[in-house]
Amino acid sequence: MKYQVIFHIDEEPKWGLLLGNVENLLKASGDELPVIEVLANGEAVLEYKLREADSMKAGRIEALHRQGVTFAACQNAMKANGLTKEMLMGFVDTVPAGVLELVERQSLGYAYIKP
Amino acid sequence: MKYQVIFHIDEEPKWGLLLGNVENLLKASGDELPVIEVLANGEAVLEYKLREADSMKAGRIEALHRQGVTFAACQNAMKANGLTKEMLMGFVDTVPAGVLELVERQSLGYAYIKP
Amino acid sequence: MKYQVIFHIDEEPKWGLLLGNVENLLKASGDELPVIEVLANGEAVLEYKLREADSMKAGRIEALHRQGVTFAACQNAMKANGLTKEMLMGFVDTVPAGVLELVERQSLGYAYIKP
């Protein structure tokens, strides 16, 4: 069975931990790669910002995206943090309400992990 | 399908984030309102205290309660924090063990979210 | 039905809260004890260290283990924190990737709790 996982992050300082978690999950999964989505809300959406993004972490996010990981941002959190879609790395998906995304994915059988 | 969600909070400073999450979930849900329960254990139960509750947050909690959100407090945490049921906002439910509530709800199909 | 629960911890300061949660869950469960696993990754694996472990917490972990609770450590986190299996309390299980363990357990119907 192909696993499905949604990672939830709402605090900026947790990005390092979260990226390590996702990298380890991919490494441990062998051929049968799980479906992985990272959903950021709260202040954590700031990490997706194009220009000011920490270059090390932005590079790791991009590498994971190239391996098939979906990165999503909550539009409520973007608004609260003064961000528009154009200000984010181009591959980041936006969803109207991050919290609804977390509920919908779990209802589809995704495991929930909050680093 | 009607979604069911349990929010878990055990740290006082997370109440602002949690309430925003619940408000956003209600706004995003349209006509088909999800079943939402907020379960507080640890020091987070102090936010339910009647007199010393931060009036802004207490007002938001009450407004959400009027929209059908259930707020519950762990009796173990209440005891550890010197609280009796009479000291809490009147509509707060108490459960013998918050952690068992979290398990039971998930076994009934509730999504789990920890802001 | 026998409940199954996986607790996730990745921050050292959360151990007190987590152990209280597990103790309360056991007390509240009566005769039908749930299957409980505690999965530590990140810096939280340091609490399993044999010699330098805080004696109070180590005692509580051992007591819970004797009541049937499984304690597991992520090998990625152990490596990152300079730990080998020999340095941990003897009953601690190690898993190649803690995050995969969290996914697998949830896919088997375990509830997820992150104190």
Side-chain angles (χ1 to χ4, degrees), chain A residues 8 10-11 14 41-43 74 76 96-97 99-100 102-104 106-107 112 114, chain B residues 1 3-5 7 14 17 21-22 24-25 28-29 106 110-115:
Chain A
H8 179 202
D10 54 12
E11 296 170 292
K14 298 287 177 68
N41 63 358
E43 60 170 34
C74 168
N76 293 310
V99 74
L100 183 58
L102 294 173
V103 176
E104 288 176 343
Q106 288 186 68
S107 84
Y112 171 90
K114 179 86 187 298
Chain B
M1 199 201 76
Y3 292 126
Q4 304 176 106
V5 192
F7 284 90
K14 298 286 177 67
L17 194 57
N21 276 195
V22 178
N24 285 334
L25 180 56
S29 294
Q106 289 186 68
Y110 280 59
Y112 172 90
I113 297 180
K114 178 86 189 296

Side-chain angles (χ1 to χ4, degrees), chain B residues 33-66:
Chain B
L33 285 188
V35 176
I36 303 177
E37 176 170 339
V38 175
L39 185 284
N41 62 359
E43 59 170 35
V45 294
L46 288 165
E47 195 64 41
Y48 288 145
K49 208 173 167 181
L50 198 53
R51 201 185 285 271
E52 290 166 43
D54 168 89
S55 58
M56 266 283 279
K57 287 209 200 81
R60 291 167 73 189
I61 289 174
E62 234 184 292
L64 288 170
H65 164 68
R66 280 193 304 266

Side-chain angles (χ1 to χ4, degrees), chain C residues 26-75:
Chain C
L26 284 176
K27 267 182 240 160
S29 296
D31 286 343
E32 193 72 35
L33 285 187
V35 176
I36 303 177
E37 176 171 339
V38 175
L39 185 284
N41 63 357
E43 59 170 35
V45 293
L46 288 165
E47 195 62 43
Y48 289 144
K49 208 173 168 182
L50 197 53
R51 200 185 285 270
E52 290 167 41
D54 167 270
S55 60
M56 266 284 280
K57 287 209 201 80
R60 292 167 72 189
I61 290 174
E62 234 184 292
L64 288 169
H65 164 69
R66 281 193 303 264
Q67 290 174 79
V69 176
T70 298
F71 288 88
C74 168
Q75 289 172 9

